[in-house]
């Protein structure tokens, strides 16, 4: 009696296991130029296995955390190189068990870089910094470091490499950050043939240095009478664009990802003021020479409050480069659609639930911007 009941039970368990695993087909198998097979299995989602192994340098930064989250939710195994133990802890729960692999590294140690990339089929370099320090200046990170990562990645036989630069990267720029970003692009393309260069605009999101800083220190955004134009882009849109590159063929070119609209800092200050219900700042507009002097004094603390190069960048308009969002399969969203999520925290308790009031959009071209609000 017991034997007759155990056979159907065993078959039922096997059938359930097969159904849970899902069916495989030819589209689940991808062969890279290195002859490495990529086999996907399981239903799409967090607990799936996409078959890809991805290394994300700069994963603990602003853009990096969202890219890791996007990749892990697709069932991709992500290698997360880190410098500080505490900075990578929040990344561990983003993927299923064993899918987030942390490895300690140093940007000057080629052996550690090689260990981080030797099992990967695509490597992202998001490493960058907004200010220079005595240990890491702009050139050591954006130029030498980027070249080193690209060269070791190529020597390790990784078929694809994606380097994140900046929309305003230019060798003739007055900003040292933008100069080194441009030089880094040249070094990367020379070290890794067929590398993809991504040029996003200024990013905004929960931990950004755009909307949050405008809510706290609006005086530093009033430089140049706040007439500097910018093309802000949502960090989630850029992260999704990068994640889509994992499943697409290698794009051996430079892809610009600016925001959908060109705005002035004046408009963004009005936007933040209207969403936080804080009165506009009445602080005087500082001359550039005074702002540079204050920025140099601000270098005294171990955590710089404001760098001179940031002051220079406040006077530089974002490049008028057409976006190539179709190549990455993403439609960028307007900043008004998301800004309230990131600046509501600066409202007082009595204003926290008040409705939003958007300022009048500036007309910077012959055609007004249509938002649908």
């Amino acid at each position: 009696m017991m034997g007759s009941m155990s056979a159907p039970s065993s078959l039922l368990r096997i059938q359930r296991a097969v159904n849970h695993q899902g069916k495989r087909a030819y589209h689940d198998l991808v062969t890279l130029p290195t002859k490495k097979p990529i086999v996907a299995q399981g239903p799409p989602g967090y607990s799936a296995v996409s078959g890809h192994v991805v290394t994300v340098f700069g994963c603990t930064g602003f853009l990096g955390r969202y890219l890791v989250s996007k990749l892990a939710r697709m069932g991709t195994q992500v290698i997360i190189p880190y410098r500080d133990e505490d900075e990578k802890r929040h990344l561990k729960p983003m993927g299923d068990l064993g899918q987030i692999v942390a490895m300690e590294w140093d940007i000057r140690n080629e052996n550690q870089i090689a260990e981080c990339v030797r099992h990967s089929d695509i490597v992202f370099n998001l490493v960058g910094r907004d200010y220079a320090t005595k240990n890491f200046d702009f050139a050591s990170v954006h130029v030498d470091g980027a070249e080193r990562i690209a060269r070791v990645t190529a020597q390790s036989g990784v078929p694809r490499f994606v380097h994140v630069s900046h929309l305003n990267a230019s060798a003739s720029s007055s900003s040292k950050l933008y100069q080194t970003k441009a030089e880094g692009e040249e070094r990367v393309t020379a070290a890794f043939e067929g590398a993809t260069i991504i040029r996003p605009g200024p990013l905004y999101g929960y931990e950004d240095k755009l909307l949050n800083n405008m809510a706290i220190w609006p005086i530093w955004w009033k430089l140049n009478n706040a007439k500097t134009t910018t093309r802000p882009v949502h960090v989630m849109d850029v992260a999704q664009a990068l994640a889509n590159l994992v499943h697409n063929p290698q794009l051996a070119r430079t892809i610009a990802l600016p925001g959908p609209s060109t705005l002035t800092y004046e408009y963004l200050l009005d936007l933040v003021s209207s969403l936080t219900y804080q009165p506009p700042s009445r602080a005087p507009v500082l001359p550039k020479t005074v702002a540079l002097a204050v920025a140099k004094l601000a270098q005294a603390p171990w955590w710089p409050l404001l760098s001179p190069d940031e002051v220079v960048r406040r006077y530089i308009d974002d490049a008028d480069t057409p976006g190539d969002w179709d190549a990455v399969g993403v439609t960028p969203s307007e900043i008004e659609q998301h800004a309230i999520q990131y600046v509501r925290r600066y409202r007082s308790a009595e204003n926290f639930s008040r409705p939003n009031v958007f300022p009048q959009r500036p007309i910077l071209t012959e055609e007004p911007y249509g938002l649908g609000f």
Side-chain angles (χ1 to χ4, degrees):
M1 184 68 177
M2 295 296 293
S4 62
M5 292 181 61
S6 60
S9 299
S10 300
L11 292 176
L12 182 60
R13 286 196 299 269
I14 295 175
Q15 183 65 35
R16 287 176 177 174
V18 172
N19 293 338
H20 177 70
Q21 186 178 22
K23 297 181 180 180
R24 295 183 181 178
Y26 286 114
H27 66 265
D28 292 327
L29 174 63
V30 178
T31 304
L32 297 175
T34 57
K35 307 301 181 183
K36 177 183 177 181
I38 304 296
V39 181
Q41 66 182 60
Y46 178 89
S47 297
V49 177
S50 69
H52 291 279
V53 180
V54 179
T55 301
V56 181
F57 290 101
C59 57
T60 57
F62 178 38
L63 175 60
R65 66 183 63 195
Y66 294 103
L67 175 58
V68 172
S69 177
K70 295 283 187 182
L71 294 172
R73 291 183 65 181
M74 297 188 299
T76 302
Q77 188 175 57
V78 187
I79 311 299
I80 52 171
Y82 69 94
R83 294 175 59 208
D84 189 341
E85 179 73 25
D86 293 334
E87 291 183 352
K88 55 86 175 176
R89 288 183 175 180
H90 62 282
L91 302 176
K92 192 70 173 179
M94 292 183 178
D96 208 347
L97 185 64
Q99 291 295 84
I100 305 296
V101 182
M103 300 185 68
E104 189 173 3
W105 82 301
D106 186 275
I107 197 171
R108 297 187 176 98
N109 191 321
E110 295 188 5
N111 293 330
Q112 288 182 332
I113 296 175
E115 282 296 313
C116 292
V117 304
R118 68 191 186 101
H119 294 296
S120 300
D121 52 84
I122 181 170
V123 172
F124 292 91
N125 178 30
L126 278 60
V127 180
R129 65 181 312 111
D130 294 332
Y131 57 89
T133 64
K134 64 179 182 180
N135 293 324
F136 295 98
D137 58 10
F138 289 126
S140 64
V141 176
H142 300 153
V143 182
D144 300 333
E147 179 189 27
R148 189 176 297 111
I149 294 173
R151 174 166 44 80
V152 174
T153 300
Q155 293 172 353
S156 301
V158 180
R160 292 183 292 171
F161 185 79
V162 179
H163 175 71
V164 177
S165 182
H166 194 281
L167 181 66
N168 295 333
S170 173
S172 59
S173 176
S174 57
S175 167
K176 195 66 177 178
L177 184 146
Y178 297 153
Q179 291 179 19
T180 53
K181 284 289 188 179
E183 186 177 354
E185 292 180 7
E186 296 178 0
R187 295 278 194 92
V188 165
T189 53
F192 194 104
E193 184 179 0
T196 303
I197 306 297
I198 302 295
R199 286 185 170 185
L203 303 176
Y204 64 87
Y206 277 111
E207 306 88 1
D208 69 10
K209 296 182 179 179
L210 183 66
L211 296 177
N212 286 285
N213 281 9
M214 286 184 173
I216 300 174
W217 298 104
I219 184 176
W220 297 116
W221 298 91
K222 297 176 69 175
L223 298 176
N224 196 27
N225 292 314
K227 299 301 181 183
T228 304
T229 58
T230 183
R231 306 174 70 185
V233 59
H234 196 199
V235 65
M236 298 294 285
D237 291 337
V238 178
Q240 186 63 59
L242 294 175
N244 291 347
L245 294 176
V246 174
H247 304 288
N248 294 340
Q250 177 78 355
L251 299 175
R253 67 175 192 266
T254 299
I255 300 176
L257 301 180
S261 298
T262 301
L263 306 169
T264 63
Y265 286 147
E266 181 181 24
Y267 172 76
L268 292 179
L269 287 171
D270 290 342
L271 176 65
V272 172
S273 178
S274 65
L275 293 177
T276 59
Y277 287 101
Q278 296 179 358
S281 172
R282 296 187 178 184
V285 179
L286 297 178
K288 187 175 182 179
T289 54
V290 175
L292 286 172
V294 173
K296 291 179 180 179
L297 292 176
Q299 302 303 292
W302 70 275
W303 184 268
L305 303 176
L306 181 71
S307 71
D309 197 75
E310 287 183 78
V311 175
V312 174
R313 296 197 297 270
R314 294 289 190 273
Y315 291 80
I316 301 176
D317 294 334
D318 282 354
D320 188 18
T321 305
D324 197 7
W325 289 96
D326 291 339
V328 293
V330 176
T331 301
S333 53
E334 297 286 356
I335 192 171
E336 289 89 348
Q337 299 175 7
H338 304 281
I340 183 61
Q341 303 176 50
Y342 312 129
V343 299
R344 183 188 289 271
R345 72 182 89 174
Y346 301 105
R347 288 185 176 185
S348 62
E350 60 182 2
N351 293 327
F352 196 80
S353 59
R354 287 180 61 182
N356 304 327
V357 179
F358 292 95
Q360 182 65 36
R361 268 270 186 141
I363 301 177
L364 302 179
T365 61
E366 296 181 357
E367 293 293 334
Y369 294 100
L371 293 177
F373 288 107

